[in-house]
Amino acid sequence: MATAEPTRDENGMVCDLAAGTCEPCRGGIPPMDRTMIQRYLVQVPGWSTAENPDRLVRTYKFEDFRAAQHFAVRVGDLCEQEGHHADIHHGWGYCTVEFWTHKINGLHENDFIMAAKVDGLYSSPYVPASASMGDVSPTAR
């Protein structure tokens, strides 16, 4: 089944990044230049760029370790589903997500699509494991 082509503006940029899908990047193409990065960056508020290589980075805040860990797992599941993987770092009250396209050692449209999709995960409600699977506390027997 063919997927629909995303809507693009007059510059060829995807209009709704979260609705896009990651297309396999075979390498051999140049990474995005600074101008294109800045054009896409406005579509993913809260994300910033880092260099060497160029990559997208965002740190999400949470109430505790469990919520951050749950989010990290959800991001990992999304990455597997889309076939485009992030570096994910989490600890008590935070989860940092980084995207870049390794095959081109820089940023590609796919990285921005994934950033938008991760933002969608963050805006959906967190359900603690204890509420969704019964009591999983260390004292539960």
Side-chain angles (χ1 to χ4, degrees):
M1 178 178 184
T3 58
E5 213 21 62
T7 304
R8 295 183 180 270
D9 69 11
E10 65 278 358
N11 297 314
M13 293 176 49
V14 173
C15 295
D16 182 2
L17 289 170
T21 56
C22 289
E23 298 297 325
C25 180
R26 290 165 180 63
I29 62 168
M32 284 183 168
D33 62 29
R34 291 267 164 227
T35 301
M36 189 60 75
I37 289 170
Q38 291 305 315
R39 287 181 183 160
Y40 270 101
L41 199 55
V42 298
Q43 294 188 56
V44 286
W47 289 82
S48 61
T49 56
E51 295 181 6
N52 297 324
D54 283 340
R55 61 193 183 278
L56 289 175
V57 180
R58 181 167 180 190
T59 298
Y60 297 89
K61 301 294 182 184
F62 297 91
E63 292 180 12
D64 55 29
F65 180 83
R66 184 175 281 179
Q69 183 176 26
H70 177 74
F71 183 72
V73 169
R74 291 176 65 206
V75 171
D77 290 344
L78 173 66
C79 290
E80 276 296 300
Q81 177 183 338
E82 292 289 326
H84 193 73
H85 299 92
D87 280 3
I88 305 167
H89 313 273
H90 74 283
W92 199 97
Y94 78 93
C95 181
T96 301
V97 180
E98 294 182 69
F99 284 107
W100 76 93
T101 301
H102 298 259
K103 287 184 179 178
I104 61 173
N105 200 34
L107 290 171
H108 183 276
E109 186 176 86
N110 289 340
D111 300 303
F112 290 89
I113 288 171
M114 290 302 294
K117 288 178 180 287
V118 169
D119 283 347
L121 290 178
Y122 185 67
S123 44
S124 61
Y126 165 66
V127 178
S130 59
S132 63
M133 300 184 316
D135 188 356
V136 294
S137 65
T139 57
R141 304 265 186 252

